Amino acid sequence: MSGQAAKTVIATMNRIDRATKRTLRDRERKERPAARAKKPDTTVANAAKYDKLVENLTRAHCIKYARKDWNTIASLGLVEPAPRTHTKEQIARKKLARYEPGLIDALFGLGADRRRALAEAVLTAAKEDADLYNRGKRAAEAHNLDVNLASSVLAMDLSAIEQTLRINLDLEAITPALEGFAIAMPSSGRIIVYLDALELDAIPDEAIIAVDNERAGYAVMPMANIQEMHISNVCSITLRIGTEVLAVVGGDSVEVVTRCHLPGRTGEYEQHPVLYVRLPHAALSRMDLTRLEPVSCITALGGRLDWDASRGFAPIRIDDLRLTDPTPEAAPRQVA
């Protein structure tokens, strides 16, 4: 089924929003030295958040490639989410209700603090119960949507493919690593992913490193390290999105065109293709993406890119690939 309008799965920022965020990041960098002079340390929790961000940016591709079996999915039928329970909360409430200060607690006046901690544990347990229910509910909704869309996906209907990608993608993991992406089918069976990557300016330019069990410190990253994180991010999210799409649509392969906004000679940012790669089912079936470094993996797959540690990405030529860019009406919001 070719000739369908391209479908946006995650919409990119518009030109104004992108410029605004760039300005805010620039302002934060200029104000940072004064803020660091007043408070040079931060918390271990922030170091953990930084580590998680780096993982999302550069290890997004670390998933198991498993093609969806749409015939089996259709045969399973619809399911109901498991009923909501309050098991963890009830256990925590019983502990609070049964608490009586022991000799040590009574001697040192720790009873109030202990009750306060147990009360906080009740709130934490209630949240865990709610999170467990919500995860199950989302999984049931994703399954039911897949059941309803199975025949349309098998018929290569882009609207159905877009819907199942939207609900099945782990948005919490991938959203920090890209701006957005759209899918197109210029000819029967040929799937093109148009991915909009983060700008270099959006990559962290300082690290947060734990000092001890409570404190963490900031460390400025050299530009070469920022450039290396950027290429790792671009390659990683390219692999992740391409793999996710191929797992849904089936077929022999998908192609990914990754674009990025690069500063021009006048200082204005312009969108350019910076990476092209074809991801074959046969190759991905033999790979363990969780063990692979993203840049070398893209290189091994014959990816086309032009990158140098001193200047980062440069635009690549893709005229010979007979690609059809998504139409303005269907693509992610168009930017300069």
Side-chain angles (χ1 to χ4, degrees):
M1 182 183 284
S2 58
Q4 304 174 71
K7 299 297 180 182
T8 299
V9 181
I10 299 177
T12 61
M13 289 183 289
N14 60 35
R15 185 176 187 173
I16 295 175
D17 289 343
R18 182 177 288 104
T20 299
K21 287 198 171 186
R22 198 181 295 130
T23 299
L24 290 174
R25 289 193 296 264
D26 184 59
R27 180 186 302 168
E28 191 274 335
R29 281 192 294 269
K30 290 178 179 177
E31 295 174 351
R32 189 185 297 162
R36 295 288 183 270
K38 293 181 180 178
K39 191 176 181 181
D41 293 337
T42 185
T43 63
V44 172
N46 284 334
K49 289 179 182 178
Y50 171 78
D51 291 341
K52 181 63 176 176
L53 174 60
V54 172
E55 181 180 350
N56 286 342
L57 290 176
T58 63
R59 305 293 292 170
H61 65 288
C62 293
I63 59 172
K64 179 177 174 57
Y65 170 62
R67 181 169 290 190
K68 277 182 173 286
D69 183 347
W70 289 104
N71 291 311
T72 298
I73 290 171
S75 69
L76 292 174
L78 302 177
V79 299
E80 289 289 336
R84 184 164 186 167
T85 64
H86 303 276
T87 306
K88 294 183 177 182
E89 181 184 359
Q90 289 170 353
I91 294 172
R93 286 190 180 280
K94 286 180 180 178
K95 289 181 179 179
L96 174 61
R98 293 172 179 171
Y99 173 70
E100 291 292 341
L103 178 62
I104 299 299
D105 286 356
L107 182 62
F108 292 97
L110 302 176
D113 290 340
R114 180 61 178 158
R115 282 196 177 90
R116 189 179 303 110
L118 288 170
E120 292 176 354
V122 172
L123 297 177
T124 300
K127 183 179 183 303
E128 290 175 353
D129 284 332
D131 290 344
L132 184 63
Y133 169 75
N134 289 331
R135 285 197 298 271
K137 182 181 178 182
R138 286 195 297 270
E141 290 173 346
H143 170 81
N144 291 339
L145 178 66
D146 282 349
V147 169
N148 291 326
L149 294 176
S151 59
S152 297
V153 174
L154 287 169
M156 298 298 285
D157 180 82
L158 280 185
S159 294
I161 294 169
E162 171 220 342
Q163 289 182 64
T164 191
L165 283 170
R166 278 178 182 269
I167 197 166
N168 281 285
L169 286 173
D170 185 352
L171 296 179
E172 183 179 351
I174 68 172
T175 299
L178 81 168
E179 281 201 1
F181 76 95
I183 51 175
M185 187 159 53
S187 59
S188 180
R190 188 185 186 194
I191 298 292
I192 313 291
V193 178
Y194 291 92
L195 191 153
D196 295 322
L198 298 178
E199 300 174 18
L200 175 67
D201 181 65
I203 299 298
D205 60 350
E206 66 175 5
I208 303 178
I209 303 170
V211 176
D212 52 37
N213 291 335
E214 296 182 358
R215 295 180 304 120
Y218 299 96
V220 177
M221 292 174 58
M223 179 52 67
N225 290 27
I226 301 171
Q227 294 282 19
E228 289 174 359
M229 186 181 294
H230 192 212
I231 188 175
S232 292
N233 163 238
V234 170
C235 291
S236 180
I237 197 62
T238 296
L239 288 168
R240 172 63 176 267
I241 298 302
T243 299
E244 297 270 18
V245 172
L246 185 57
V248 168
V249 302
D252 294 332
S253 65
V254 298
E255 299 167 75
V256 186
V257 179
T258 302
R259 307 174 295 193
C260 187
H261 281 75
L262 305 175
R265 294 179 180 177
T266 63
E268 293 291 326
Y269 282 72
E270 299 178 348
Q271 188 183 69
H272 297 282
V274 296
L275 171 61
Y276 166 83
V277 67
R278 177 177 168 272
L279 301 178
H281 165 69
L284 288 180
S285 297
R286 297 191 300 267
M287 290 179 171
D288 182 357
L289 291 174
T290 64
R291 295 176 176 271
L292 296 178
E293 194 275 329
V295 181
S296 60
C297 185
I298 287 289
T299 302
L301 289 167
R304 184 181 301 187
L305 72 163
D306 184 354
W307 180 89
D308 183 88
S310 62
R311 51 121 170 108
F313 284 103
I316 61 170
R317 297 294 301 271
I318 56 174
D319 302 346
D320 60 312
L321 299 173
R322 296 181 291 109
L323 299 173
T324 303
D325 213 4
T327 60
E329 293 79 15
R333 293 191 295 271
Q334 295 299 295
V335 291

